[in-house]
Amino acid sequence: MSYIDIVPIGEIEDALLLHLQQSIFQTFRIQTRIRNRQFDLSSVYDPVRDQYNSTGLLLQLINDTSPETLRILGVTELDLFIPIFTFLFGEAQLNGKGALVSTHRLHNQFYGIPENKELLRIRLLKEGIHELGHTFGLIHCFTLRCVMKSSTYVEEIDQKSTNFCKECEQEVLRVRDGKNL
Amino acid sequence: MNNEAVGILVVDDEFSVRDSLYNWFKTEGYRADTAEGGMEALKKLQESPWDIVLVDIKMPGMDGMELQRHIKKIDSGIVVIVITAYATVDTAVEAMKEGAYDYLSKPVDPDKLSILIRNAVNQRRLVAENLQLRQKVEELSLQDEIVGESPQIKKILEMIDTVAKTDATVMIRGESGTGKELVAQALHSKSNRRYFPIISINCGAFPEGLLESELFGHEKGAFTGAQYKRKGKLEMANGGTIFFDEIGNITMKMQMDLLRVIETKQFTPLGSNKVVNVDFRVVAATNTDLEKKVAEKEFREDLYYRLNVFSIQLPPLRERPADIPLIARYFLEKYARSMNKKVTDISPESMKVLVQYDWPGNIRELRNTIERALVVVGKKNRIEVDDLNLLFLPKTEPLGRNSLEEVEKAHIKRILEQSEWNISRSAEILKIDRVTLYNKIKKYDLQR
């Protein structure tokens, strides 16, 4: 059997992970499982920026997968960056195996407003599905409510839904069914 | 323009920057590529078209500023965005002065990059649209009308009206310069295909291999020099009209290929294995004796009959002298307007010369004559005989209805022009002595 592995990197609330696991299963109709792993965070930490290199972390994530792992989604509280960008909500390999998402800038608190756990849960789900969508070959979508719409700030995440538009959904199903799951 | 149609080239010596921007643009759906330095970037820019180039300012070898200058030479419409880790107002100002669209300082805010690229794509699209519209306006303003009131031309206009709305293949015959392309355009603009393009191809202007690629298009690498995929004219004419000028000049192999395309409306671009379906109307033109070529087996009979469904024969200008004043005035108005000249008339003497001339180059020659006259007319408000330059053309016959003096003056002037005002040589040709020639020059007030 093939799985989408959900891997916490650092401390992530169990309830948040469980909700993510269930919702991802419902979206992709692929079995999901939560797997705990160790990561060398010091090697991806940039003290000048006080952030973690997303690409380095993604490499660690995909370097240790099981034969049943179809896709792997890392979830972290760390603030991610790649050298050219000030920050990232997440990163994924287009048509690849690995995806990574950070909750750091999904918290309301980060923007100086009261925390909203429900909103955080939904934002994490949208970004998790979005990054996994890239691993199924999906590029950013122009449909306003599609989960594959590009979001470069948090309000844009709130504007889209947790669902794929018809075309993106068909593409995911095409890729998924091609894998003979 | 969808994202897939937009090409973005990232030029940076830092792998992580190239790689991350490449991945980011790919997930955005853009056609992206990277180059490690200036030389590699220039190579890629020459290999295929790019819309936006992100250039790092500080690079070993050719720096970003120098690369930007080269890019602008290749295609001034390419949007250059400068990336710099050394963001200072000076470098930004310098880059913008050199024509950069904007600049980014590392690290970049993803939302800022996203908005910047979106705006740059719009800018590129607007520039391209503007260029296309300018070309269209230029084409429309340069497009001539079929002018004339002679019975011959009225009959041609009737024939155009009759056949335009059908999809019949039309063969236009006539001497060079009689307006065959104009008739093809009239057929297209009066047809139901008028909202689609009319694509002209001068079959006589291409060697065989090139004509094939021009018509059918080619894939990248189909032959030496095919650096990237190119759409052929047949595909460009889809929905519209294709006009084959000088159809009598194509090789037997090309005749066979063309016959197949006209019959099946299908073809395969060079180096491709995909069949392209097209829908176009065919108009062809020639000034060669196709019947003779068919009889001598130089032109395929089946292609001849396929093309010659409806034939329009254009008369030479000398056979419809009544139209010459109308056409001359039409060109006078047209070129006076485009040259911003206040020339409003052609003198009666000049018109007489124009009507009597035999116009071997037909309407094209008349057009050029009027255009040239408007250049040399100076501040006068009408064209005089001296502005026409017709008498000095070697193909001009002596003017039959002019006085002996007029003919003599014209002949002496022509010989002087031919010998570059060498008096001895001119006198020798004219079989008169040099003193007599000097006297004639003085009498007729001839000047260099």
Side-chain angles (χ1 to χ4, degrees):
Chain A
M1 185 177 276
S2 299
Y3 293 95
I4 294 178
D5 288 344
I6 297 169
V7 180
I9 303 168
E11 287 291 310
I12 297 285
E13 255 184 58
D14 284 349
L16 209 55
L17 277 178
L18 281 171
H19 173 258
L20 185 66
Q21 184 192 6
Q22 283 165 6
S23 304
I24 284 177
F25 169 71
Q26 281 164 3
T27 302
F28 291 93
R29 290 283 153 192
I30 298 171
Q31 291 299 324
T32 52
R33 59 184 182 183
I34 294 174
R35 299 187 75 214
N36 288 298
R37 292 233 323 258
Q38 292 299 310
F39 290 88
D40 175 15
L41 297 182
S42 62
S43 66
V44 290
Y45 178 65
D46 184 323
V48 177
R49 296 175 65 144
D50 190 22
Q51 286 177 307
Y52 293 81
N53 188 309
S54 168
T55 312
L57 205 49
L58 190 58
L59 278 175
Q60 286 189 37
L61 190 69
I62 57 168
N63 273 346
D64 184 14
T65 57
S66 76
E68 300 88 45
T69 305
L70 183 73
R71 296 288 189 273
I72 185 163
L73 174 66
V75 184
T76 184
E77 197 30 71
L78 304 172
D79 192 14
L80 301 177
F81 80 100
I82 53 173
I84 188 65
F85 287 141
T86 47
F87 74 93
L88 286 180
F89 289 128
E91 189 181 354
Q93 296 175 302
L94 191 64
N95 284 310
K97 200 169 208 174
L100 179 63
V101 63
S102 161
T103 55
H104 191 86
R105 291 171 192 253
L106 302 181
H107 290 278
N108 265 0
Q109 272 175 338
F110 182 84
Y111 305 96
I113 44 180
E115 187 63 335
N116 182 335
K117 288 212 166 184
E118 178 59 14
L119 197 55
L120 173 69
R121 200 169 55 85
I122 294 170
R123 284 173 181 168
L124 174 62
L125 177 60
K126 287 175 183 174
E127 283 312 280
I129 295 172
H130 178 99
E131 296 304 338
L132 279 170
H134 285 315
T135 67
F136 282 81
L138 294 180
I139 57 170
H140 287 156
C141 179
F142 288 108
T143 308
L144 204 65
R145 299 276 293 155
C146 178
V147 73
M148 289 312 293
K149 188 162 192 317
S150 163
S151 318
T152 49
Y153 48 97
V154 77
E155 290 87 343
E156 279 185 329
I157 300 175
D158 295 338
Q159 282 163 9
K160 62 189 182 186
S161 74
T162 53
N163 303 318
F164 291 115
C165 67
K166 204 115 196 117
E167 281 172 23
C168 290
E169 186 182 19
Q170 276 172 357
E171 183 59 15
V172 167
L173 294 178
R174 194 187 65 77
V175 176
R176 187 198 69 177
D177 296 343
K179 302 282 179 196
N180 298 321
L181 299 171
Chain B
M1 209 185 249
N2 61 12
N3 282 3
E4 212 178 319
V6 178
I8 303 180
L9 183 65
V10 179
V11 192
D12 201 305
D13 56 325
E14 266 184 78
F15 171 77
S16 64
V17 172
R18 286 198 308 276
D19 190 51
S20 46
L21 282 176
Y22 173 81
N23 287 329
W24 193 77
F25 288 131
K26 286 304 259 189
T27 55
E28 289 282 321
Y30 295 108
R31 178 173 61 86
D33 201 355
T34 61
E36 204 176 333
M39 296 308 286
E40 193 187 349
L42 289 175
K43 194 166 164 273
K44 291 198 168 173
L45 282 159
Q46 270 152 358
E47 280 171 2
S48 52
W50 296 96
D51 301 289
I52 298 169
V53 184
L54 274 89
V55 179
D56 185 21
I57 283 280
K58 287 266 182 190
M59 288 189 293
M62 187 189 299
D63 70 7
M65 297 301 287
E66 194 184 343
L67 176 61
Q68 182 184 322
R69 283 190 281 272
H70 285 292
I71 293 171
K72 291 290 171 187
K73 274 183 207 160
I74 293 171
D75 179 354
S76 59
I78 292 178
V79 175
V80 176
I81 296 170
V82 164
I83 321 169
T84 175
Y86 305 82
T88 64
V89 173
D90 287 350
T91 48
V93 167
E94 201 190 335
M96 307 284 271
K97 270 186 188 167
E98 295 274 353
Y101 174 72
D102 211 333
Y103 80 101
L104 290 166
S105 49
K106 295 183 213 173
V108 180
D109 250 7
D111 57 334
K112 193 178 170 199
L113 181 64
S114 182
I115 292 166
L116 184 60
I117 295 293
R118 213 160 41 227
N119 289 343
V121 169
N122 283 339
Q123 150 99 357
R124 173 79 165 152
R125 199 195 63 228
L126 285 173
V127 169
E129 272 178 11
N130 186 279
L131 200 69
Q132 274 177 353
L133 287 170
R134 274 167 185 267
Q135 279 170 348
K136 194 81 204 159
V137 168
E138 196 129 311
E139 275 168 29
L140 286 172
S141 65
L142 288 175
Q143 218 166 59
D144 287 322
E145 294 165 34
I146 299 173
V147 179
E149 284 180 356
S150 62
Q152 296 101 311
I153 217 69
K154 278 183 179 165
K155 192 178 167 205
I156 300 239
L157 290 169
E158 274 172 29
M159 287 166 98
I160 291 171
D161 283 341
T162 308
V163 77
K165 291 225 167 2
T166 73
D167 243 0
T169 303
V170 180
M171 172 73 86
I172 308 165
R173 317 285 290 265
E175 286 179 13
S176 178
T178 45
K180 295 188 285 294
E181 184 156 7
L182 207 55
V183 171
Q185 275 164 355
L187 283 168
H188 176 72
S189 61
K190 290 182 180 216
S191 76
N192 296 329
R193 295 175 176 272
R194 62 186 172 277
Y195 299 115
F196 291 89
I198 175 169
I199 303 291
S200 297
I201 182 149
N202 186 339
C203 303
F206 297 94
E208 187 182 345
L210 273 184
L211 178 62
E212 212 179 342
S213 132
E214 195 73 15
L215 278 176
F216 302 125
H218 59 75
E219 289 291 321
K220 185 181 175 184
F223 52 84
T224 313
Q227 288 179 326
Y228 45 91
K229 186 180 169 169
R230 188 175 170 201
K231 222 186 230 190
K233 296 226 168 185
L234 291 172
E235 206 174 338
M236 284 155 74
N238 194 21
T241 304
I242 185 138
F243 173 53
F244 296 110
D245 202 1
E246 295 191 38
I247 192 76
N249 293 352
I250 59 172
T251 61
M252 287 305 272
K253 185 189 173 296
M254 202 64 221
Q255 290 176 31
M256 202 169 69
D257 291 345
L258 210 53
L259 179 67
R260 197 177 306 128
V261 175
I262 294 171
E263 285 186 340
T264 63
K265 299 279 166 76
Q266 282 185 338
F267 68 94
T268 310
L270 303 181
S272 167
N273 51 12
K274 283 186 193 154
V275 173
V276 178
N277 289 297
V278 276
D279 167 39
F280 50 69
R281 189 236 192 114
V282 175
V283 176
T286 187
N287 61 357
T288 55
D289 187 348
L290 275 191
E291 291 72 15
K292 191 173 164 225
K293 282 198 160 195
V294 169
E296 289 169 356
K297 308 273 182 215
E298 285 176 17
F299 200 87
R300 290 180 69 102
E301 195 175 1
D302 43 10
L303 180 61
Y304 170 79
Y305 285 115
R306 198 75 185 74
L307 293 173
N308 207 24
V309 177
F310 191 94
S311 179
I312 297 178
Q313 178 75 45
L314 298 181
L317 191 53
R318 64 182 170 277
E319 286 180 14
R320 49 179 186 121
D323 285 337
I324 292 174
L326 283 174
I327 301 171
R329 287 207 176 90
Y330 168 79
F331 286 131
L332 172 76
E333 273 180 37
K334 177 181 164 147
Y335 289 112
R337 205 181 314 125
S338 70
M339 292 180 197
N340 206 16
K341 294 232 177 186
K342 285 179 182 157
V343 185
T344 52
D345 204 3
I346 299 171
S347 73
E349 298 76 26
S350 309
M351 197 59 93
K352 194 173 149 193
V353 170
L354 292 175
V355 173
Q356 285 173 346
Y357 185 65
D358 72 339
W359 300 108
N362 291 295
I363 301 168
R364 186 182 296 129
E365 190 184 2
L366 174 55
R367 184 192 67 193
N368 294 347
T369 302
I370 301 293
E371 191 180 2
R372 185 197 171 278
L374 277 164
V375 173
V376 299
V377 74
K379 288 184 178 171
K380 299 193 297 263
N381 62 3
R382 72 176 190 175
I383 291 174
E384 301 291 348
V385 177
D386 285 348
D387 304 319
L388 291 176
N389 200 38
L390 279 179
L391 303 173
F392 319 121
L393 293 171
K395 54 195 164 197
T396 313
E397 294 296 319
L399 298 168
R401 290 180 208 169
N402 285 6
S403 69
L404 185 61
E405 279 201 340
E406 280 173 310
V407 174
E408 187 182 61
K409 177 185 173 185
H411 187 56
I412 291 170
K413 186 159 187 184
R414 182 168 59 208
I415 298 300
L416 285 166
E417 293 277 356
Q418 280 174 0
S419 65
E420 293 179 336
W421 281 74
N422 183 320
I423 300 297
S424 300
R425 205 182 317 145
S426 298
E428 199 182 326
I429 295 167
L430 293 164
K431 295 196 183 340
I432 52 176
D433 59 50
R434 293 170 66 246
V435 177
T436 310
L437 181 54
Y438 274 120
N439 287 337
K440 300 272 183 196
I441 289 169
K442 196 174 171 192
K443 178 183 172 187
Y444 296 129
D445 191 26
L446 296 175
Q447 286 165 3
R448 284 188 95 144

